[in-house]
Amino acid sequence: MNITRKVTLREAPPLVGTEIAVYVSGIPCDLSDGYTFGFTRIPKPAASTHFTIEWGDGSGATYYETRTNLKHTYKRPGLYRIRICDCVNNVAVSASSATIENLVYAPMIREFRTTSTQIITLARTGFSNAYNLEKLELRGSSVRNLAAGTFMGCKALKSLEGCAGIERLFMTVFRDCISLPERVDLPNLISISADADKSPFLGTNIKEFHFAAKNEETIKALKFYQETGGNLGLEGAVCVFDL
């Protein structure tokens, strides 16, 4: 007699949403064998029962049904590319330095790229003090808003790719990002939340902003910054309206 058993495989979300390049240093550590990287926040839609992370060291994909304990320890130094499935709707890391578990987190990040259609706003202080972060790429994603302090203190950040879709910048987003280019193009920007000491660009070397306001309301909202940089906190910065 033949017995047929039905087997239901867990359906894994595709690993197409977000990629983070993490550099693990070769500095010796006496507290643990390796270096741990983790996420402080990965909110997910209520409809999703699990999500997937591939840690980039050949260990295979890991399935998570919880948002806690999202950590991985690397045994050898090197550059690893973490891939996260597209069911998550935000990503954030902490800026902790060495602890008893040798957690480094934010300073380990070299690149952040997302093509996610789920992420609309990048988390508040989500990558703050990731001082080794060099490249941000949002091309192909649904990211429209950068929350307060998202990339504050990312002193090595020099490349903003695919940021044309950004509509709203909140306070201190790029504060002290001293390696940003002198010209920034934000063609779809609608609003900037700023005042003299909480400007999104305070402490940068940006000399010229290019906007492409598409309606009178947007033009009125941004005109304040046109001549001198206004409260962008950058004396002499020029704001150009490419209408």
Side-chain angles (χ1 to χ4, degrees):
M1 180 176 64
N2 294 326
I3 299 177
T4 302
R5 180 166 51 176
K6 182 179 180 181
V7 178
T8 302
L9 299 177
R10 177 185 292 178
E11 183 180 350
L15 288 162
V16 296
T18 300
E19 182 178 284
I20 298 176
V22 172
Y23 180 73
V24 180
S25 171
I27 300 174
C29 176
D30 297 328
L31 299 179
S32 64
D33 181 19
Y35 291 80
T36 300
F37 178 83
F39 296 97
T40 54
R41 298 194 299 278
I42 297 192
K44 55 180 178 156
S48 174
T49 58
H50 62 275
F51 57 97
T52 311
I53 298 178
E54 187 176 273
W55 293 100
D57 60 354
S59 59
T62 303
Y63 304 96
Y64 293 94
E65 295 183 355
T66 170
R67 287 177 278 179
T68 61
N69 198 30
L70 305 178
K71 300 175 183 177
H72 186 76
T73 298
Y74 296 92
K75 301 299 183 182
R76 291 177 295 276
L79 186 67
Y80 299 93
R81 296 189 178 277
I82 299 170
R83 295 197 298 164
I84 309 169
C85 70
D86 198 32
C87 73
V88 301
N89 58 22
N90 222 322
V91 179
V93 299
S94 78
S96 61
S97 57
T99 68
I100 194 167
E101 296 180 349
N102 198 34
L103 306 182
V104 184
Y105 292 6
M108 297 170 72
I109 298 175
R110 286 294 179 88
E111 299 177 7
F112 173 69
R113 180 177 69 91
T114 183
T115 57
S116 174
T117 58
Q118 302 293 325
I119 301 176
I120 307 299
T121 302
L122 288 183
R124 180 185 178 96
T125 65
F127 296 86
S128 63
N129 296 318
Y131 50 76
N132 287 311
L133 177 67
E134 297 178 352
K135 181 179 180 181
L136 165 66
E137 184 175 342
L138 304 177
R139 186 179 291 109
S141 75
S142 294
V143 176
R144 296 293 177 264
N145 311 309
L146 300 183
T150 304
F151 296 100
M152 181 173 59
C154 295
K155 298 182 183 298
L157 184 59
K158 57 186 176 182
S159 177
L160 302 178
E161 296 189 14
C163 290
I166 296 300
E167 296 177 353
R168 291 177 173 83
L169 293 176
F170 291 86
M171 295 182 293
T172 66
V173 171
F174 293 110
R175 182 167 182 166
D176 295 329
C177 294
I178 58 176
S179 298
L180 285 178
E182 291 189 356
R183 168 173 169 163
V184 171
D185 290 82
L186 297 165
N188 290 299
L189 194 69
I190 296 174
S191 67
I192 302 175
S193 299
D195 57 39
D197 62 344
K198 295 182 180 179
S199 163
F201 304 103
L202 191 68
T204 69
N205 295 312
I206 299 173
K207 300 292 191 297
E208 192 170 308
F209 296 88
H210 279 249
F211 306 120
K214 295 177 173 58
N215 56 65
E216 290 185 7
E217 182 178 352
T218 303
I219 294 172
K220 182 179 179 180
L222 296 176
K223 277 288 186 182
F224 176 70
Y225 304 104
Q226 185 170 14
E227 294 182 1
T228 64
N231 276 359
L232 290 176
L234 300 174
E235 185 177 353
V238 176
C239 296
V240 179
F241 289 80
D242 301 320
L243 303 179

